[in-house]
């Protein structure tokens, strides 16, 4: 929308507050990049900031670190933020809060995304798992941890091999970072890549309404990556794995690209259910742009409306 300044007498003009326009509030949006197009300095700086967060005290007054605040909050809100309309805006906000935290820890760039469509030919062989240029690989069968009788593989290469996430869902149980690549069986196979090929994404993108677009994106590629990487990526404490944020930035990017397909209509296109439906209960309430997104004191609670455009004063980024 264009905002034209009319020629008014100075006194009158001064009394009128101009409407907020993206052109005024977000002049120089930061551009979020794919992980593999970061320079090695940018990567090092990002990784250092993650380790810095894992040394800072909790902002929630917990005995664990600021890094652990993210899985803690995600787990506590799990049922309010998944399989509901606010899945996309809530995670957009969550990634933004994480980005701000990385910046407080010295990172000067923008968060990066992992475009898994590029790897869907053979996901487990992707360069994203490279120990030097990527995020480290699958869990190591020779380095396992047994928690509550179940054994998982620890990531023993790459920049996050020494991370010690504190929580698994509601339990305080400091542990190694776990990954267990799979295709739904004991095999790695192609890690459910049929859900995130370029063709699969094009089909999702073809939905013109928010509700269908969101449901397909969350239930398809979003879920496929969580399930096939597994380990810490599976429980509601999935932000334990720094990969969570690269994955969710990609989900956010796909939403952004969908919005850009018809910005006039789709920037504020929103709808679907506000809360999860319980068996035997009446239809859940419908979501609106005025719904408040909780963030449990790692950031203030804000309405969905404030997060719909990435080119606002608050967010100010593009892809
Ligand atoms: Cu989530």
């Amino acid at each position: 929308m264009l905002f034209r300044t009319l020629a008014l007498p100075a006194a009158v003009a001064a009394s009128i507050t101009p409407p907020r326009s993206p052109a005024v509030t977000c002049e120089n949006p930061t551009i979020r990049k794919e992980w593999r197009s970061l320079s090695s300095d940018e990567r090092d700086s990002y990784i250092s900031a993650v380790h810095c967060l894992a040394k800072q005290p909790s902002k929630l007054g917990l005995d664990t670190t600021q890094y652990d605040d993210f899985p803690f909050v995600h787990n506590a809100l799990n049922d309010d933020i998944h399989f509901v309309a606010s899945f996309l805006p809530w995670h957009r906000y969550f990634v933004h809060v994480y980005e701000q935290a990385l910046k407080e820890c010295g990172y000067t760039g923008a968060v990066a995304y992992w475009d898994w469509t590029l790897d869907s030919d053979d996901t487990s062989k992707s360069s994203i798992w490279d120990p030097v240029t990527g995020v480290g690989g699958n869990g190591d069968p020779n380095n396992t941890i047994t928690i509550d009788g179940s054994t998982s593989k620890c990531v023993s290469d790459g920049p996050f091999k020494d991370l010690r996430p504190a929580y698994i869902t509601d339990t305080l149980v400091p542990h190694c970072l776990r990954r267990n690549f799979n295709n739904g069986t004991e095999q790695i196979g192609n890690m459910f890549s049929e859900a995130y090929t370029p063709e699969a994404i094009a089909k999702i993108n073809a939905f013109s309404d928010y509700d269908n677009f969101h449901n397909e994106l969350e239930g398809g590629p979003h879920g496929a990556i969580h399930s096939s990487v597994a380990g810490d990526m599976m429980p509601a404490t999935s932000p334990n794995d720094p990969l969570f944020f690269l994955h969710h930035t990609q989900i956010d990017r796909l939403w952004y690209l969908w919005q850009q397909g018809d910005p006039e209509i789709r920037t504020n296109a929103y709808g679907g259910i506000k809360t999860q439906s319980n068996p035997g209960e009446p239809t859940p309430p419908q979501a609106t742009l005025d719904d408040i997104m909780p963030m449990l004191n790692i950031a203030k609670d804000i309405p969905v409306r404030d997060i719909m455009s990435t080119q606002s004063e608050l967010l100010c980024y593009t892809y």
Side-chain angles (χ1 to χ4, degrees):
M1 194 169 43
L2 288 172
F3 176 70
R4 286 176 205 283
T5 310
L6 300 170
L8 292 173
V12 177
S15 70
I16 298 172
T17 312
R20 285 191 164 199
S21 135
V24 174
T25 56
C26 172
E27 275 173 37
N28 288 307
T30 53
I31 298 169
R32 292 181 174 179
K33 296 190 277 191
E34 217 274 343
W35 178 261
R36 290 160 288 189
S37 63
L38 298 182
S39 68
S40 60
D41 281 354
E42 287 171 319
R43 269 196 320 259
D44 289 350
S45 165
Y46 184 105
I47 291 161
S48 304
V50 173
H51 289 299
C52 163
L53 287 181
K55 289 193 192 83
Q56 301 300 312
S58 164
K59 294 215 166 183
L60 297 171
L62 302 166
D63 288 336
T64 45
T65 74
Q66 189 182 359
Y67 189 84
D68 295 311
D69 286 351
F70 290 91
F72 182 91
V73 166
H74 185 267
N75 174 65
L77 296 171
N78 191 35
D79 289 344
D80 302 326
I81 56 174
H82 298 109
F83 303 105
V84 292
S86 66
F87 170 78
L88 290 173
W90 190 89
H91 286 81
R92 174 172 282 176
Y93 188 31
F94 191 58
V95 167
H96 169 73
V97 174
Y98 182 72
E99 184 177 51
Q100 295 306 113
L102 290 178
K103 285 181 177 169
E104 283 169 28
C105 260
Y107 182 54
T108 52
V111 284
Y113 58 93
W114 169 30
D115 183 357
W116 15 251
T117 66
L118 302 174
D119 302 305
S120 58
D121 279 347
D122 200 352
T123 310
S124 70
K125 301 285 180 334
S126 165
S127 58
I128 196 77
W129 313 119
D130 189 277
V132 177
T133 61
V135 297
N138 194 8
D140 177 354
N142 299 313
N143 178 13
T144 61
I145 183 172
T146 302
I147 298 164
D148 275 344
S150 90
T151 300
S152 329
K153 296 181 289 182
C154 300
V155 172
S156 51
D157 68 356
F160 305 118
K161 66 177 171 27
D162 297 321
L163 214 58
R164 296 282 297 172
Y167 298 98
I168 298 177
T169 62
D170 294 333
T171 311
L172 177 62
V173 46
H175 60 284
C176 64
L177 176 63
R178 303 165 301 157
R179 290 186 191 140
N180 182 28
F181 292 2
N182 73 92
N183 69 347
T185 71
E186 297 285 289
Q187 307 298 312
I188 294 176
N190 206 15
M191 299 176 70
F192 295 129
S193 64
E194 63 281 2
Y196 52 88
T197 58
E199 297 73 31
I201 301 307
K203 271 190 197 153
I204 296 171
N205 217 27
F207 285 102
S208 58
D209 68 298
Y210 177 88
D211 193 21
N212 274 309
F213 172 77
H214 148 248
N215 282 320
E216 295 294 320
L217 188 61
E218 181 176 7
H222 163 258
I225 293 292
H226 278 284
S227 307
S228 66
V229 175
D232 275 296
M233 279 288 272
M234 266 310 277
T237 36
S238 48
N240 276 342
D241 192 332
L243 182 67
F244 171 98
F245 294 97
L246 302 185
H247 174 43
H248 268 279
T249 306
Q250 160 76 348
I251 293 291
D252 185 62
R253 171 175 169 262
L254 293 178
W255 179 28
Y256 166 85
L257 292 174
W258 180 84
Q259 289 181 306
Q260 293 308 303
D262 191 351
E264 290 274 308
I265 290 174
R266 292 186 186 172
T267 300
N268 282 313
Y270 190 60
I273 55 172
K274 182 182 176 185
T275 57
Q276 287 181 11
S277 47
N278 293 311
E281 277 184 20
T283 323
Q286 291 298 296
T288 77
L289 291 172
D290 295 319
D291 296 341
I292 301 294
M293 300 185 292
M295 206 45 81
L296 298 187
N297 292 325
I298 55 167
K300 65 178 184 180
D301 299 352
I302 61 170
V304 169
R305 183 185 303 286
D306 289 3
I307 218 82
M308 296 300 285
S309 169
T310 68
Q311 291 180 71
S312 61
E313 192 176 359
L314 174 69
L315 300 178
C316 203
Y317 66 82
T318 60
Y319 287 94

